[in-house]
Amino acid sequence: MHFKTNRRELLSAALMLTIGAAAAWGGTHYEVGTLARMGPGFFPVALGATLMLLALLMVFTPVTAEDEAAAGGAREPANTRAWICVTAGVIAFIVLGSLGGLVPGTFALVLLSAFGDQRNTASACVLLAAGVTLLAVVLFRLLLQIQIPLFTWM
């Protein structure tokens, strides 16, 4: 195994490292606290440090001979369907989340994003969206007890 990175990976890692460092630095301006009593700066610092670690892993991930053979030097075409579906999902979450609440926003986000993969069937997308929505309700509303409205109607 040897280390081999291309320019695109290095630029992606540099961007992630920069964003992570900015988040961690910004979080230090607030009280960080401890793991038992987290302050307002704890999450930005932890998220920034995790992002910086992932950026370093991107750079120092070894490339095997199988990886090089699979890449073959050819560039993959941009998957515009995935870009469009994920972007539409985020926009739908913003709109439906503010107008309809957590359940419709999360369901629309996951459903539209799942349609970005051409291998997914419509029933698989609906089941995935329902499962993630149920997980979001259990996690945010029941376990963390965050007061996010499940349904709101204008």
Side-chain angles (χ1 to χ4, degrees):
M1 284 191 290
H2 64 281
F3 293 101
K4 183 177 180 181
T5 56
N6 61 21
R7 186 172 181 207
R8 177 187 261 172
E9 286 182 13
L10 287 176
L11 289 174
S12 299
L15 178 63
M16 284 180 59
L17 187 68
T18 303
I19 293 171
W25 181 72
T28 60
H29 289 85
Y30 300 100
E31 181 184 346
V32 177
T34 64
L35 194 56
R37 295 190 59 84
M38 296 179 208
F42 186 88
F43 188 71
V45 170
L47 185 63
T50 303
L51 202 56
M52 289 188 294
L53 177 67
L54 288 174
L56 293 175
L57 287 175
M58 282 176 62
V59 173
F60 295 114
T61 301
V63 176
T64 62
E66 294 88 24
D67 294 336
E68 286 185 28
R75 293 183 76 176
E76 293 183 19
N79 189 350
T80 54
R81 176 180 174 161
W83 279 95
I84 291 169
C85 288
V86 170
T87 303
V90 171
I91 292 170
F93 179 77
I94 293 169
V95 172
L96 290 176
S98 62
L99 298 177
L102 177 68
V103 172
T106 304
F107 189 84
L109 168 68
V110 177
L111 181 69
L112 290 173
S113 297
F115 278 124
D117 188 355
Q118 296 174 347
R119 297 171 294 194
N120 286 345
T121 62
S123 59
C125 292
V126 170
L127 285 174
L128 179 66
V132 171
T133 302
L134 179 64
L135 181 67
V137 169
V138 168
L139 177 67
F140 292 117
R141 192 63 182 243
L142 300 177
L143 295 177
L144 296 175
Q145 297 180 351
I146 297 175
Q147 297 301 314
I148 301 172
L150 298 180
F151 293 98
T152 58
W153 309 109
M154 288 186 66

